[in-house]
Amino acid sequence: MSAAVEHSEEHRGAFSSRKVFILAAIGSAVGLGNIWRFPYVAYENGGGAFIIPYLIALLTAGLPFLLLDYGLGHRYRGSAPLSFRRAHRSAEGLGWWQVGICFVIAVYYAAVIAWAARYAFFSLDKAWGDDPEAFLFGDYLQAGDPGVGLDFVSGVTVPLVLVWVAVLAIMALGVQKGIGAASVVFIPVLFVAFIALVVVALTLDGASVGLDALFTPDWSALGETSVWIAAYGQIFFSLSVGFGIMITYASYVGRRSDMTGSGLVVGFANSGFELLAGIGVFAALGFMASASGVAVDEVATDGLGLAFIAFPAIINEAPAGALIGVLFFGSLVVAGVTSLVSVIEVVISGVRDKFEMSRIGASMAVGVPAALISIVLLGTTTGVYVLDIIDHFINRFGILVVAVASMLALSWVFHKTGLLREHLNRDGSVQVGTWWQWLIGIVAPAALTFILVNEFIDNLQEPYEGYPTWMLVTLGWGLAVAVAVIGFLLARVPWRDSTFLGDPEVQAQKDERSS
Amino acid sequence: MSTSAIIMMLIAMAVLWGGLAVAIWNINRYQGEEPESVHRDL
């Protein structure tokens, strides 16, 4: 390998093996959405019949897109901005756009982990009492009127600071000793803890009622467009594709690794965990419905409502409630931390590559401002509203837009998918045919564009959750646009002279021939 | 649980968990090449 490429790789760090990479990638993909989003999406969209659109979405969009990210990062061996820059000099802005999105996500994602960590302790004495909803918004978050204030809530701020300290320590330790080592420990712990939770949930009275509600198929749902949109949306959001994470992680894997085989493991592990989450969550909801003498649809919910209102209510009623609470909220914390680490690594890696900074220097340069913004915006009585708006808009008009733009650009503008297919096939245990290029160039962008247009119309017609217009304009629409603009401006900053901007694979092959 | 719910649950398990098992079997069969040295993270 040439001196320039070698210099770059020595500084960037790498995973010690493919196994560590796979665990880190699973850690990124398996996040809060697997636990609190998939079960309800499946239940609402055909129950047992949902497996059909879900599987089709996985095979026609999720896995192909995952392999695109893997191919890009593995071929060009850089962070998202560097990989796009090496693919084509005009493509770098897409990488910085992804970096910006990750910075924004990291800021609010840490807050949810902090809440879950606090709730793991609340579970021990059921501190929320008989009314978990009033406790969440009143006693715990002390939520006031929507806005942006500076009234800090110590019960949120303190765990938030601790989350950031832990994450920055992992980041400062580096790719293998930090991210890799954390994944090797956390992912098995997460799977074991969640399996234990499922086993406990299945022993509860009424568990079968919940499972019946989740898996009874509604075949008529397959004729509804919204169900297919939900399947593609769930697959897309749960796989951590399209915003730089898998590009970055793939750049840390050995040059001759099997990326297609690894992609299948990550994709099916992610979906397999979602199924496990569905079983655990609906067994618990079935118990709650039976205990309350109501139907499952009256207790079924998702997101914050499931985690911080429905589960505390379940914990109140269930035998071994404290155990269920610690396992559930502990799983949320572990799944959240491994995902947060991957999100912030996209930013750190981009900054390191561009400015040739040290690992610790880049971790602090990125992590400290992110932590401060996170604490100021989310550690207050208005944090829950800020989180809700940013999460809603950056997912739809940040991640979705950049994902469609990067797929179309790589397929139709820079014409790189053929090269990436050859690269994936060179050492891949599973060969991808030209059909993969059609899925990436047409099917996946078409499906995501359809979702995007629907979301765009919905959000224009009805202001999200009735929040004040100024909040939606600044923290919602404005932030989503600003991230893209800043991304393309950052692409204009020149690279250091020592950064190799050619194709590392071409250079490596030249060197192998000459040696 | 109804029969249809049990069948769909078993199908989902077979497809997703079975798919994971096959994927793991596949990469174990095909070891590929591991990096010769772990680059320092400077």
Side-chain angles (χ1 to χ4, degrees), chain A residues 268-419:
Chain A
F268 276 99
N270 179 64
S271 293
F273 189 88
E274 291 198 315
L275 178 62
L276 190 67
I279 292 170
V281 165
F282 267 82
L285 289 173
F287 161 75
M288 186 177 166
S290 298
S292 312
V294 298
V296 173
D297 66 344
E298 288 191 40
V299 295
T301 182
D302 64 349
L304 299 180
L306 173 73
F308 299 107
I309 297 172
F311 255 86
I314 292 165
I315 292 163
N316 278 349
E317 300 294 329
L323 175 64
I324 291 175
V326 170
L327 289 173
F328 177 76
F329 290 111
S331 296
L332 282 184
V333 171
V334 174
V337 166
T338 50
S339 295
L340 177 58
V341 160
S342 70
V343 168
I344 200 77
E345 175 62 13
V346 174
V347 191
I348 291 171
S349 179
V351 169
R352 289 195 72 195
D353 282 351
K354 186 84 177 191
F355 302 104
E356 299 224 338
M357 294 177 74
S358 68
R359 158 60 60 175
I360 293 177
S363 298
M364 294 306 124
V366 170
V368 171
L372 289 176
I373 296 170
S374 177
I375 292 161
V376 169
L377 281 180
L378 282 309
T380 64
T381 54
T382 52
V384 65
Y385 307 118
V386 172
L387 185 153
D388 192 24
I389 294 171
I390 295 179
D391 177 55
H392 180 81
F393 279 86
I394 207 69
N395 272 292
R396 286 154 182 80
F397 307 112
I399 297 177
L400 263 179
V401 180
V402 77
V404 172
S406 56
M407 275 191 286
L408 292 177
L410 288 168
S411 296
W412 303 108
V413 180
F414 305 123
H415 302 287
K416 291 293 177 187
T417 50
L419 178 75

Side-chain angles (χ1 to χ4, degrees), chain A residues 74-284:
Chain A
H74 194 247
R75 169 89 193 190
Y76 295 109
R77 313 206 60 72
S79 58
L82 183 56
S83 291
F84 275 106
R85 174 64 180 79
R86 283 173 170 168
H88 195 282
R89 61 182 304 119
S90 304
E92 187 186 331
L94 291 167
W96 285 110
W97 189 357
Q98 295 181 340
V99 165
I101 288 169
C102 283
F103 187 87
V104 171
I105 292 173
V107 162
Y108 72 79
Y109 207 81
V112 185
I113 300 170
W115 298 356
R118 198 81 176 91
Y119 264 66
F121 287 100
F122 288 156
S123 304
L124 297 175
D125 60 355
K126 299 169 188 167
W128 43 71
D130 295 330
D131 190 348
E133 184 170 3
F135 177 84
L136 173 66
F137 292 105
D139 298 358
Y140 181 52
L141 297 176
Q142 298 174 29
D145 293 327
V148 178
L150 286 175
D151 294 327
F152 288 95
V153 180
S154 60
V156 177
T157 308
V158 172
L160 187 53
V161 170
L162 294 177
V163 167
W164 276 109
V165 168
V167 168
L168 292 187
I170 292 171
M171 305 320 293
L173 284 169
V175 176
Q176 175 56 32
K177 290 182 180 169
I179 301 168
S183 303
V184 167
V185 174
F186 285 165
I187 297 308
V189 167
L190 173 63
F191 276 74
V192 169
F194 212 86
I195 287 169
L197 173 67
V198 170
V199 170
V200 174
L202 287 173
T203 63
L204 298 172
D205 290 339
S208 63
V209 176
L211 295 181
D212 196 51
L214 175 62
F215 286 108
T216 297
D218 172 13
W219 298 111
S220 66
L222 298 182
E224 293 173 23
T225 312
S226 61
V227 171
W228 291 85
I229 289 178
Y232 276 89
Q234 177 60 32
I235 283 292
F236 173 75
F237 286 120
S238 81
L239 263 179
S240 291
V241 288
F243 55 112
I245 294 172
M246 294 304 177
I247 297 174
T248 307
Y249 275 11
S251 74
Y252 296 140
V253 191
R255 235 188 92 222
R256 305 303 300 258
S257 284
D258 164 19
M259 299 305 287
T260 54
S262 304
L264 287 179
V265 174
V266 174
F268 276 99
N270 179 64
S271 293
F273 189 88
E274 291 198 315
L275 178 62
L276 190 67
I279 292 170
V281 165
F282 267 82

Side-chain angles (χ1 to χ4, degrees), chain B residues 1-6 9-11 13 15 17-19 22-24 27 31 39-40 42:
Chain B
M1 281 179 78
S2 65
T3 308
S4 60
I6 292 171
M9 184 173 78
L10 293 176
I11 289 173
M13 287 173 172
V15 171
W17 295 348
V22 171
I24 292 172
I27 58 163
Q31 285 298 328
H39 293 299
R40 288 177 301 161
L42 299 173

Side-chain angles (χ1 to χ4, degrees), chain A residues 50-70:
Chain A
F50 185 72
I51 187 70
I52 292 171
Y54 178 81
L55 198 62
I56 290 172
L58 175 67
L59 297 176
T60 60
L63 287 173
F65 201 173
L66 184 67
L67 294 182
L68 178 71
D69 277 357
Y70 280 180

